[in-house]
Amino acid sequence: MNYKNGSNLLPKELLDEVQQYVQGEYIYIPIRDKRENVTPTEYELELTNRNEHIYEKALEGVSNKVLSQLYHLSESSIRRIILKQRKRYEDMTGRISKIMECWAVEEDEFTQIYDTAWQVGDMYILAISCLTKANFPAT
């Protein structure tokens, strides 16, 4: 990494402002997010599929130890993936509730049965394709 002298790059006012927080130390200034409207790479898609599969197996009751052996990952990595996937699907709760209102089945409870499906009461199965932004706006 190439380091630049801030006094040669930044306007004096900005340099004075930065010096109120840090002086004589290296700081990293991240690149602005360039990933807007970028399609995921094949590798990113593969990781997404792997993580969804790990979460699905966890929902089926497969232990973290077994999953770590199957995917050649540490148990802490498995836990991290499961927590991240769980958070992602918990964020869909509002959307599911809104759909249930439209279906007039608000009193029914819903439970996640697969990584891509929820059971609503005893009569319905809600698939993830119903929950995409294109099909139904977030609440």
Side-chain angles (χ1 to χ4, degrees):
M1 178 178 289
N2 243 349
Y3 293 99
K4 310 282 186 207
N5 187 333
S7 60
N8 296 336
L9 294 174
L10 303 173
K12 177 152 177 37
E13 300 82 29
L14 181 56
L15 183 61
D16 290 340
E17 186 71 26
V18 171
Q19 285 175 328
Q20 290 180 16
Y21 298 96
V22 65
Q23 294 183 34
E25 296 182 36
Y26 295 116
I27 62 171
Y28 173 74
I29 301 174
I31 297 174
R32 289 188 184 171
D33 189 16
K34 293 183 178 180
R35 295 188 52 88
E36 295 176 17
N37 299 325
V38 175
T39 57
T41 64
E42 190 174 320
Y43 178 71
E44 290 171 326
L45 290 173
E46 192 174 317
L47 284 180
T48 299
N49 289 337
R50 180 204 67 184
N51 293 348
E52 288 174 354
H53 192 256
I54 287 171
Y55 185 61
E56 182 176 328
K57 291 297 181 187
L59 286 174
E60 292 173 2
V62 178
S63 73
N64 290 354
K65 185 173 187 165
V66 171
L67 289 170
S68 70
Q69 292 168 350
L70 281 172
Y71 291 95
H72 305 286
L73 297 169
S74 68
E75 286 187 56
S76 62
S77 292
I78 296 293
R79 281 191 298 275
R80 178 186 45 79
I81 290 167
I82 291 170
L83 288 173
K84 187 176 180 182
Q85 291 295 109
R86 183 178 298 146
K87 168 81 171 105
R88 183 172 160 228
Y89 290 111
E90 284 174 355
D91 290 344
M92 291 184 189
T93 301
R95 293 181 187 175
I96 294 171
S97 297
K98 193 73 170 170
I99 290 172
M100 289 172 57
E101 282 178 27
C102 291
W103 289 354
V105 290
E106 299 120 21
E107 65 280 348
D108 287 343
E109 290 189 23
F110 57 90
T111 54
Q112 188 170 9
I113 54 176
Y114 294 106
D115 66 323
T116 58
W118 288 259
Q119 181 171 348
V120 180
D122 293 331
M123 297 182 60
Y124 303 103
I125 299 291
L126 185 61
I128 200 165
S129 61
C130 298
L131 304 173
T132 61
K133 289 183 181 180
N135 294 331
F136 201 85
T139 55

